[in-house]
């Protein structure tokens, strides 16, 4: 029997009278550079919109590239009041976010970045276990994200099983590490902020990231090849994680300003991210990068691994994270993802308004600022 919460059950109609909004300042932390797709539209462009929507009462200061907190410290930084809003990628704190890291395994099997981002967002609002994990850290979840398809950026051509064998490959999560090991390569777990130096110093031979990273992180300076192997997207964690103490101190109108402006940040980020991948591939020659298609044996190893991912996710949830019922979480997320694939069928992905309306209608219009997160 399905036991996850519906949006209606966690979000009720506001009854309280609006409070007088006081001006507030907040620190916002992300571990990616300010011009990166995961920062530019979700934070850099979003903060002025939030200020305007709040009537000028919310002022945010962005700390990018891990300048205030490293990737692994954003979750504790929210709990300790160092920051009020942060990008929390669960892969950096697996012991703290076991539910998220169990679901993150499924990213290897997800092929639609839009469906993944919207499904991840809804899942974290409605699946009881996901809401509970954020509550453990006094965090209010307010939105997710997805990368485009992950590829491999390497110092030299790597398109076959023979070529990848023995290579040191930066992995973004456990499912990717499992595949890397299965093809005889060595998974290396380092933050994205260390990819450039890792490739430059020979610590890494390849990194698993979307192809746009040759631009957004200037990896064309330390790598020469992109292999367009389809390694799924990456959708996990909270793009908009908010300190509960901070959220509780806001007025209904100020919380509504978050609800009204975050959906555009999610859509704009997706559009920019997907577009930048296409642009990077198109301009690869100018960047000194050669784009390769994967060999049949390398591509075949990915397809074989995809068949095992679901079972591995459930097993990881049980044996590594000691979750009571990881299959329940996996099944509920899969149902939500399938729903979003259906909702997006026939939608023009170039139509920002259509995407935004769908996201607001299905999720954000149902959030009550007087009750959610309180």
């Amino acid at each position: 029997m399905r036991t996850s919460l519906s949006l209606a059950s966690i979000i009720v109609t506001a009854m309280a009278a609006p409070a007088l909004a006081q001006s507030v300042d907040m620190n916002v932390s992300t571990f990616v550079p300010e011009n990166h797709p995961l920062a530019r539209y979700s934070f850099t462009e979003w903060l002025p919109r939030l200020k305007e929507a709040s009537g000028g009462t919310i002022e945010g200061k962005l700390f990018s590239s891990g300048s205030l907190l490293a990737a692994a410290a954003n979750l504790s930084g929210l709990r300790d009041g160092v920051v009020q809003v942060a990008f929390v990628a669960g892969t950096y704190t697996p012991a703290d976010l076991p539910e998220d890291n169990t679901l993150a395994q499924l990213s290897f099997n997800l092929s639609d970045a839009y469906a993944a981002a919207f499904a991840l967002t809804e899942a974290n609002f409605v699946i009881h276990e996901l809401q509970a994990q954020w509550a453990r850290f006094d965090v209010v979840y307010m939105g997710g994200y997805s990368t485009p398809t992950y590829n491999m950026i390497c110092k030299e051509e790597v398109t076959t099983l023979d070529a990848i064998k023995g290579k040191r490959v930066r992995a973004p999560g456990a499912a990717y590490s499992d595949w890397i090991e299965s093809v005889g390569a060595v998974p290396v777990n380092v933050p994205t902020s260390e990819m450039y130096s890792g490739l430059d110093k020979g610590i890494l031979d390849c990194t698993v990231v979307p192809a746009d990273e040759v631009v957004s992180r200037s990896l064309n300076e330390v790598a020469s090849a992109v292999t367009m192997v389809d390694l799924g997207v990456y959708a996990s964690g909270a793009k908009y994680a908010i300190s509960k103490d901070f959220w509780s101190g806001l007025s209904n109108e100020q919380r509504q300003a978050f609800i009204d402006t975050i959906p555009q940040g999610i859509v704009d980020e997706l559009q920019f991210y997907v577009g930048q991948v296409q642009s990077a591939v198109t301009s690869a020659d100018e960047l000194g990068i050669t784009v390769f298609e994967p060999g049949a044996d390398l591509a075949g190893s990915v397809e074989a691994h995809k068949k095992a991912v679901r079972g591995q996710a459930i097993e990881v949830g049980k044996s590594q994270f000691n979750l009571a019922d990881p299959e329940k979480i996996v099944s509920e997320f899969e149902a939500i993802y399938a729903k979003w694939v259906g909702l997006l069928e026939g939608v023009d992905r170039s139509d920002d308004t259509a995407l935004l309306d769908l996201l607001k209608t299905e999720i954000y219009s149902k959030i009550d600022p007087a009750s959610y997160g309180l």
Side-chain angles (χ1 to χ4, degrees), residues 10 32 88 146 157 178 180-181 198 237 242 255 293 308 334:
I10 66 170
V32 297
V88 174
S146 174
E157 178 183 348
D178 291 342
I180 291 166
E181 288 182 337
I242 303 176
R255 288 190 286 267
E293 291 300 321
E334 288 174 331

Side-chain angles (χ1 to χ4, degrees), residues 105-110 175 178-179 182 230-232 299-315 330 334:
Q105 296 265 29
L106 298 180
S107 292
F108 199 93
N109 278 357
L110 306 182
D178 291 342
W179 171 73
S182 76
D230 181 353
L231 297 174
S301 72
V302 173
E303 291 309 307
H305 186 65
K306 285 179 181 291
K307 296 176 183 177
V309 163
R310 186 181 194 274
Q312 289 177 347
I314 294 170
E315 180 57 31
V330 166
E334 288 174 331

Side-chain angles (χ1 to χ4, degrees), residues 55-344:
T57 64
I58 302 176
E59 186 77 48
K61 182 176 182 180
L62 178 62
F63 295 87
S64 59
S65 300
S67 58
L68 180 61
L69 294 171
N74 277 332
L75 185 60
S76 59
L78 284 165
R79 180 192 57 200
D80 297 338
V82 178
V83 296
Q84 287 67 52
V85 179
F87 174 15
V88 174
T91 187
Y92 296 113
T93 54
D96 292 329
L97 300 172
E99 297 87 353
D100 178 72
N101 277 271
T102 297
L103 275 188
Q105 296 265 29
L106 298 180
S107 292
F108 199 93
N109 278 357
L110 306 182
S111 57
D112 186 333
Y114 294 87
F118 297 167
L120 178 70
T121 296
E122 181 174 348
N124 276 275
F125 280 122
V126 304
I127 295 178
H128 172 77
E129 291 83 353
L130 299 183
Q131 277 280 303
Q133 76 172 345
W134 300 115
R136 290 197 298 266
F137 287 87
D138 290 328
V139 165
V140 177
Y141 181 94
M142 280 303 295
Y145 73 102
S146 174
T147 69
T149 301
Y150 270 39
N151 313 119
M152 285 200 306
I153 299 176
C154 301
K155 293 179 71 68
E156 59 185 30
E157 178 183 348
V158 177
T159 58
T160 66
L161 289 179
D162 282 343
I164 199 172
K165 193 169 295 184
K167 292 289 191 294
R168 292 157 298 190
V169 183
R170 184 261 173 186
Y176 304 88
S177 295
D178 291 342
W179 171 73
I180 291 166
E181 288 182 337
S182 76
V183 295
V186 180
V188 180
N189 183 21
V190 298
T192 52
S193 59
E194 296 179 19
M195 290 187 302
Y196 186 102
S197 61
L199 289 166
D200 187 38
K201 296 175 181 178
I203 297 170
L204 298 174
D205 298 301
C206 298
T207 182
V208 174
V209 284
D212 79 291
E213 300 278 353
V214 297
V215 176
S216 59
R217 291 188 190 270
S218 304
L219 295 187
N220 62 307
E221 297 174 358
V222 292
S224 67
V226 173
T227 304
M228 299 301 290
V229 60
D230 181 353
L231 297 174
V233 302
Y234 193 79
S236 79
K239 193 53 194 292
Y240 296 93
I242 303 176
S243 159
K244 184 175 181 179
D245 284 345
F246 175 73
W247 183 255
S248 300
L250 299 175
S251 69
N252 289 346
E253 291 79 11
Q254 288 171 323
R255 288 190 286 267
Q256 187 65 50
F258 280 87
I259 295 167
D260 289 342
T261 57
I262 283 175
Q264 186 174 343
I266 294 172
V267 170
D268 286 353
E269 179 178 283
L270 276 167
Q271 298 290 61
F272 180 71
Y273 213 164
V274 171
Q276 188 156 294
V277 168
Q278 296 168 346
S279 176
V281 171
T282 301
S283 59
D285 287 345
E286 301 169 23
L287 296 168
I289 292 286
T290 304
V291 176
F292 297 97
E293 291 300 321
D297 59 351
L298 187 66
S301 72
V302 173
E303 291 309 307
H305 186 65
K306 285 179 181 291
K307 296 176 183 177
V309 163
R310 186 181 194 274
Q312 289 177 347
I314 294 170
E315 180 57 31
V316 164
K318 289 178 180 177
S319 61
Q320 182 176 335
F321 296 127
N322 298 313
L323 296 180
D325 192 358
E327 187 167 7
K328 170 184 177 291
I329 302 173
V330 166
S331 296
E332 290 182 2
F333 175 80
E334 288 174 331
I336 294 170
Y337 178 75
K339 183 192 85 169
W340 276 100
V341 169
L343 287 171
L344 287 162

